[in-house]
Amino acid sequence: MSAQSSRLTKKFQATIPRIVRNELGLKSGDIIHFELRNGEAVLRKESPLDLAFLQALEGQLTEWQSEADEEAYHAL
């Protein structure tokens, strides 16, 4: 596959090139996952199993929902 590019908007949004969308089978409304590896970002389509796992895990991460955490990480 050849390299593909997209320009970021002022809101840090980018269009995923058609060839990448087609290769990953992406459709409007799909959820995508970004993984950082040695200074590079890897993009993949979330699978239903990934989503079910994340939804189950979500209720277990309440220790990071404090006001101090919100203040520290609000700009991320």
Side-chain angles (χ1 to χ4, degrees), residues 61-73:
L61 302 177
T62 57
E63 68 268 20
W64 294 315
Q65 293 179 343
S66 73
E67 190 174 313
D69 291 323
E70 281 298 318
E71 185 176 320
Y73 301 110

Side-chain angles (χ1 to χ4, degrees), residues 35-65:
E35 182 176 333
L36 297 177
R37 295 183 189 167
N38 300 317
E40 296 182 350
V42 177
L43 167 90
R44 68 176 170 85
K45 180 179 178 179
E46 287 282 5
S47 72
L49 182 59
D50 294 331
L51 294 175
F53 173 76
L54 291 174
Q55 288 169 346
L57 185 64
E58 186 175 39
Q60 306 301 316
L61 302 177
T62 57
E63 68 268 20
W64 294 315
Q65 293 179 343

